[in-house]
Amino acid sequence: MTTAIADLPLVASGKVREIYDLGERLLMVASDRISTYDVVHPTPIPDKGRVLTGLSAFWFAKTGHIVANHYVSATEGVPDEVRGRAMVVRKLEMLPVECVVRGYITGSGWKDYLATGSVSGIELPPGLKESERLPTPIFTPSTKAETGHDEAIDFEQAAELVGDRELMARVRDVSVALYCFAADHARERGVILADTKFEFGLDGSSELVVGDEVLTPDSSRYWPADVYEPGHGQPSFDKQFVRDWASGSGWDKTPPAPAIPDDVVEGTRARYVEAYERITGEPFASWLARTGA
Ligand code: Q0Z
């Protein structure tokens, strides 16, 4: 199959991004599409794809001391039409598990905790409040569902799927180390990294490599630290304007998602740019200049 982008073969596509085949390497492209309540809106958020790609590139550069990554370039080999929102990456043999790390109890983890007192087989202290910080970050892997939602599994099931318990232990330890490094960095800049999801692969030398996107608002929950308060769900750093507007709009959260009004698009775009600048400490314009976008 081929698509609009420089006629490259499409390898995989998700709700808001695509991967193309470059032969020896892959091209990962982030779109400006946005989803809320798991449904993609017809209205794009200008620059969202460039913010996410810039953030992912920032974190790859910052975390190479923890684990190797698939990043090759955000300039060489990137077609003009996707400049700033695409990166060339190494091809990997991906591991068949999603590597989630949670520092706070929220989302599906909160639901599982309420029902069982545990998340991914890890027993948590009683009496936790929604969105509360955990005593220590936990590794809560899940399956990679082709369609529908990923299913929480415990470490032993993840090891079984990967077929190598020692490798899975390293994946767990690296995942937690990446989360701790990023959460400390974000917290110093007034942002809570509540949880995040990594995908790992093996390169041609069977070395462990972190791939996909890392520590972006689409693969993580970022919360503004100044209004953090356990006991209820927290506002999302990036998507809260859209969610608030959608909740008041009468939309029942089933497809199709409604068009987003201009003021909500502009507010949301500003939040993405603010996330980039807070987390990286650099003007977003520098990313655009660096990539020729
Ligand atoms: C990641 C995904 C996306 C849809 C394949 N370096 C790599 N080598 C081999 N495969 C992948 C990667 Cl990143 C790979 N995905 C997840 C990403 C759209 C699915 F942008 N699929």
Side-chain angles (χ1 to χ4, degrees):
M1 186 186 176
T2 59
T3 67
I5 294 175
D7 243 22
L8 296 168
L10 184 67
V11 171
S13 66
K15 285 201 300 280
V16 301
R17 60 215 182 95
E18 291 88 33
I19 303 183
Y20 298 89
D21 200 343
L22 294 174
E24 283 285 284
R25 307 218 183 282
L26 297 173
L27 184 73
M28 297 199 59
V29 180
S31 75
D32 290 340
R33 297 191 294 278
I34 189 170
S35 66
T36 59
Y37 310 104
D38 268 332
V39 190
V40 179
H41 293 266
T43 322
I45 304 297
D47 287 329
K48 174 176 179 272
R50 298 197 283 207
V51 164
L52 266 62
T53 300
L55 276 171
S56 210
F58 170 80
W59 286 118
F60 280 135
K62 277 262 174 209
T63 59
H65 64 291
I66 299 172
V67 65
N69 61 64
H70 72 164
Y71 178 88
V72 175
S73 175
T75 52
E76 252 192 287
V78 174
D80 282 346
E81 59 195 297
V82 294
R83 239 160 230 298
R85 60 184 180 92
M87 57 175 70
V88 176
V89 302
R90 293 192 279 152
K91 280 184 175 174
L92 305 173
E93 205 62 58
M94 301 304 287
L95 303 183
V97 290
E98 309 266 13
C99 297
V100 179
V101 182
R102 301 170 191 272
Y104 294 73
I105 188 72
T106 186
S108 66
W110 170 243
K111 288 203 179 80
D112 293 349
Y113 171 72
L114 283 182
T116 70
S118 302
V119 185
S120 286
I122 300 169
E123 202 177 317
L124 296 175
L128 289 176
K129 293 195 255 183
E130 184 175 10
S131 310
E132 199 169 336
R133 189 175 182 173
L134 294 169
T136 189
I138 56 172
F139 179 67
T140 62
S142 58
T143 59
K144 282 187 187 179
E146 287 298 315
T147 54
H149 268 125
D150 300 338
E151 186 193 349
I153 52 177
D154 65 20
F155 175 83
E156 296 304 331
Q157 291 170 302
E160 187 77 16
L161 280 170
V162 164
D164 182 337
R165 199 171 187 285
E166 252 187 84
L167 173 62
M168 197 61 222
R170 171 146 166 72
V171 166
R172 175 197 60 205
D173 293 349
V174 163
S175 295
V176 172
L178 287 169
Y179 170 83
C180 289
F181 178 85
D184 287 350
H185 176 100
R187 190 65 188 75
E188 286 167 15
R189 287 151 180 83
V191 183
I192 292 172
L193 176 61
D195 54 33
T196 194
K197 179 182 80 183
F198 301 108
E199 295 199 30
F200 291 88
L202 301 177
D203 69 10
S205 309
S206 300
E207 189 191 358
L208 182 66
V209 178
V210 63
D212 209 66
E213 61 180 335
V214 286
L215 299 158
T216 69
D218 277 6
S219 66
S220 317
R221 283 190 181 88
Y222 283 104
W223 295 335
D226 57 344
V227 296
Y228 170 66
E229 181 183 72
H232 55 84
Q234 302 302 295
S236 153
F237 195 96
D238 48 307
K239 289 182 176 175
Q240 202 55 41
F241 287 161
V242 184
R243 291 195 185 135
D244 288 350
W245 166 78
S247 291
S249 73
W251 176 43
D252 65 2
K253 289 151 194 172
T254 66
I260 306 170
D262 291 354
D263 60 321
V264 177
V265 169
E266 247 344 285
T268 302
R269 176 194 206 165
R271 288 296 275 180
Y272 276 105
V273 171
E274 185 185 348
Y276 178 91
E277 295 187 336
R278 275 222 217 172
I279 290 166
T280 68
E282 294 278 340
F284 178 57
S286 302
W287 172 252
L288 301 181
R290 180 147 87 79
T291 57

